Amino acid sequence: MMAGKTRTLAVEPISVSPGWRPRNVLARMNRAGQNTPTNYPAARHAAMIAEALMTGGRDLVDDEPKHCGVSIGVTVELFWKVLRENEVLRIKLRRRAAKGGGA
């Protein structure tokens, strides 16, 4: 992109299913957080950011945008690592079951 030029992306409105409504997301997020054996500071901070954005509060994000970005980034990194590890374990279980080792 050339200096001084900005690009505007057209954003189409999306239909939000009831499960993706802010109050439902907040309730699920809070329930999941209560049942977590280990609590990561970045994940707690990302949850605070999510709640602030969904309830109209922007002070948290406006005051420390880089800190908020780091917390979200670390949380996404951990989430993706868990998804990858989960998939590796599922593949190992399928292989073991295929060999007759059971699950």
Side-chain angles (χ1 to χ4, degrees):
M1 199 175 319
M2 295 172 33
K5 298 231 178 186
T6 58
R7 194 168 102 188
T8 304
L9 298 175
V11 178
E12 303 213 6
I14 59 170
S15 171
V16 177
S17 70
W20 285 78
R21 290 194 178 123
R23 70 169 184 236
N24 295 336
V25 172
L26 285 172
R28 288 195 319 269
M29 180 180 70
N30 289 326
R31 266 195 313 272
Q34 291 172 354
N35 300 321
T36 318
T38 307
N39 225 333
Y40 292 96
R44 284 195 311 268
H45 191 227
M48 289 170 51
I49 295 163
E51 184 170 359
L53 291 172
M54 285 188 271
T55 58
R58 294 218 20 129
D59 292 343
L60 181 65
V61 178
D62 290 340
D63 289 346
E64 297 184 24
K66 286 183 183 179
H67 189 194
C68 290
V70 167
S71 291
I72 293 169
V74 167
T75 303
V76 170
E77 174 195 11
L78 291 171
F79 173 73
W80 284 344
K81 284 180 178 180
V82 167
L83 287 178
R84 186 173 351 141
E85 185 174 333
N86 184 48
E87 186 58 27
V88 167
L89 292 173
R90 287 169 51 146
I91 291 168
K92 286 180 180 180
L93 282 173
R94 278 191 226 124
R95 287 180 183 160
R96 182 180 290 171
K99 290 181 181 179

